[in-house]
């Protein structure tokens, strides 16, 4: 097995590209793919300040590492979701990564700061754990990115994640979610810009990247993911990809290039943007979904909200279908 670039001994095969790579050229491939995603989808400008949503898993840590190498000014945000040992362990990987490199990582423990955790909150609110979790993460990531005046919030969604979410949204013709399933969502109506710079890289590549870069990451999956439809979609796509490498890429980027325009605007709802009466978050209802969840779960807000200015324009929903963040 020889590296496609230098013909030296290869350490990774990337079937989607029908090619093998040595360590140096594989790491370069990963950086180049992120750079291309950022450039093609106009995610960032040179020197932008980026808040990276860090879970302690391979994708978010690799993303943080690559953005640093590409010269962006980055900070991390880790949310302690209160999912037993899984949360405490993943928190250790996130803080370890930041500490070793002298990086700034904001940690928010939702149990101590908001008075509920994901297992208890989802039970009390009678929501599926991943639904309550996804909603909580989106709300707190948005809040932190806005509070810190970051140019963008970056998440570690990779090609496997995005293709699986797309499959789920297509199977149910979720036109609103399809309208918002893009690698970049611009800032507006009080929401920060959101970017997914790993969309050109798969799960297996991100694991290999971390191993080769010596990044320790949380290997165990979240115990609450069991029964999540997203996993079934991933498995189905993996079966197809095995027989026909490159299918996930064509499915996702074919949608972006040729079909997503048909759904453009479907995720926006007409009306005047407003702010949540409880927490001040932007949205289009008097009490935001996070505050409703928190109230049903017996939680509380930590402090009086700082008012966040909201520009006039069409309001938008901030979900994207199956939760993957
Ligand atoms: S952390 Fe949260 Fe995931 Fe666990 S509860 Fe579901 S959404 S699976 S990425
Ligand atoms: Zn090489
Ligand atoms: Zn609220």
């Amino acid at each position: 097995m020889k590296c496609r670039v230098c013909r030296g001994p290869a350490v990774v095969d990337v079937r989607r590209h029908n090619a093998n790579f040595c360590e140096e050229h594989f790491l370069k491939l990963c950086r180049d793919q992120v750079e291309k995603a950022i450039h093609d989808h106009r995610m960032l400008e040179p020197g932008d300040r980026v808040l990276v949503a860090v879970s302690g898993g391979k994708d978010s840590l690799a993303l943080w590492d690559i953005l640093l190498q590409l010269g962006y000014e980055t900070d991390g945000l880790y949310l302690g979701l209160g999912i037993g040992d899984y949360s405490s362990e993943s928190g250790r990987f996130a803080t370890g990564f930041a500490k070793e490199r002298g990086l700034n990582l904001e940690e928010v423990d939702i149990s101590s700061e908001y008075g509920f955790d994901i297992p208890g909150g989802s039970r009390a609110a009678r929501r599926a754990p991943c639904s309550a979790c996804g909603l909580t993460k989106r709300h707190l990531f948005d809040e932190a990115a806005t509070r810190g005046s970051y140019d963008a919030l970056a998440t570690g969604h990779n090609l496997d994640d995005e293709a699986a979410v797309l499959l789920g949204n297509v199977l149910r013709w979720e036109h609103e979610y399809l309208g918002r399933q893009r690698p970049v969502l611009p800032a507006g109506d009080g929401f920060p810009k959101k970017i997914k710079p790993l969309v050109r890289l798969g799960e297996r590549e991100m694991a290999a990247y971390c191993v080769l870069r010596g990044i320790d990451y949380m290997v165990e999956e979240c115990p609450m993911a069991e029964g999540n439809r997203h996993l079934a979609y991933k498995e189905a796509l993996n079966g197809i990809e095995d027989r026909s490498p490159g299918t996930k890429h064509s499915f996702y980027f074919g949608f972006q290039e040729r079909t997503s325009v048909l759904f453009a605007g479907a995720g926006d709802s007409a009306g005047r943007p407003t702010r949540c009466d409880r927490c001040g978050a932007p949205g289009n209802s008097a009490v935001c979904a996070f505050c409703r969840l928190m109230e049903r779960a017996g939680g509380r807000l930590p402090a009086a909200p700082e008012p966040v200015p909201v520009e006039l324009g069409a309001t938008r929903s901030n979900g994207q279908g199956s939760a993957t963040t």
Side-chain angles (χ1 to χ4, degrees):
M1 202 163 92
K2 287 186 178 162
C3 171
R4 174 200 264 183
V5 184
C6 67
R7 310 309 295 164
V11 293
V12 185
D13 68 308
V14 184
R15 289 187 66 205
R16 191 169 69 256
H17 295 300
N18 194 22
N20 307 313
F21 297 91
C22 70
E23 176 173 337
E24 178 192 340
H25 290 116
F26 175 72
L27 295 176
K28 182 174 183 310
L29 172 88
C30 294
R31 287 192 303 272
D32 289 350
Q33 292 294 327
V34 170
E35 212 167 11
K36 181 166 169 51
I38 290 173
H39 174 267
D40 288 359
H41 302 285
R42 296 197 194 99
M43 292 181 182
L44 296 172
E45 299 290 332
D48 270 357
R49 286 179 66 242
V50 184
L51 182 64
V52 185
V54 179
S55 68
K58 61 188 184 319
D59 303 304
S60 54
L61 294 181
L63 171 63
W64 200 359
D65 188 62
I66 294 173
L67 289 177
L68 285 166
Q69 289 184 59
L70 294 179
Y72 293 100
E73 199 185 313
T74 57
D75 292 319
L77 171 65
Y78 172 80
L79 300 182
L81 301 164
I83 307 177
D85 292 346
Y86 169 76
S87 285
S88 30
E89 271 294 292
S90 52
R92 271 198 285 281
F93 285 104
T95 49
F97 178 91
K99 209 168 166 190
E100 275 170 27
R101 292 159 181 81
L103 303 170
N104 182 32
L105 177 72
E106 182 182 351
E107 294 172 66
V108 176
D109 181 71
I110 65 163
S111 308
S112 50
E113 295 200 27
Y114 292 89
F116 76 102
D117 57 27
I118 295 303
S122 60
R123 266 196 310 275
R126 294 174 192 273
R127 287 184 82 127
C130 290
S131 156
C133 184
L135 155 65
T136 301
K137 288 193 282 192
R138 282 193 295 276
H139 179 92
L140 295 177
F141 289 151
D142 285 353
E143 188 275 330
T146 305
R147 174 167 38 84
S149 304
Y150 288 92
D151 295 300
L153 168 71
T155 55
H157 296 93
N158 59 39
L159 177 60
D160 296 63
D161 297 322
E162 291 303 289
V165 172
L166 177 59
L167 179 60
N169 288 338
V170 166
L171 288 174
R172 288 182 168 68
W173 291 117
E174 300 274 15
H175 67 286
E176 288 192 11
Y177 292 143
L178 287 167
R180 297 182 46 75
Q181 198 178 349
R182 299 194 293 273
V184 57
L185 289 174
D189 298 340
F191 291 101
K193 183 200 272 188
K194 295 179 187 179
I195 61 172
K196 298 173 182 172
L198 298 186
V199 280
R200 300 185 61 84
L201 292 161
E203 212 156 87
R204 190 168 159 269
E205 284 124 62
M206 297 334 296
Y209 180 90
C210 286
V211 171
L212 294 174
R213 287 281 294 162
I215 296 172
D216 281 335
Y217 64 90
M218 179 78 176
V219 175
E220 281 76 37
E221 297 291 340
C222 170
M224 310 211 80
E226 223 169 283
N228 183 334
R229 282 200 299 247
H230 184 73
L231 289 184
Y233 301 145
K234 268 193 174 175
E235 278 169 25
L237 284 170
N238 284 343
I240 299 169
E241 182 81 14
D242 271 352
R243 291 177 179 214
S244 177
T247 302
K248 283 180 203 171
H249 182 99
S250 329
F251 178 51
Y252 180 73
F253 286 99
F255 169 75
Q256 294 300 335
E257 285 153 22
R258 298 195 288 276
T259 316
S260 71
V261 66
L262 301 175
F263 300 93
D268 300 342
S269 57
R272 196 179 159 81
T274 183
R275 278 196 268 131
C276 171
D277 288 345
R278 310 276 201 280
C279 72
N284 52 8
S285 57
V287 178
C288 77
F290 175 71
C291 285
R292 289 200 300 272
L293 168 73
M294 194 171 47
E295 282 167 11
R296 292 178 73 181
R300 52 176 160 55
L301 286 170
E306 285 284 323
V308 180
V310 177
E311 291 162 26
L312 293 182
T315 53
R316 60 186 206 180
S317 102
N318 218 24
Q320 66 147 6
S322 322
T324 60
T325 316

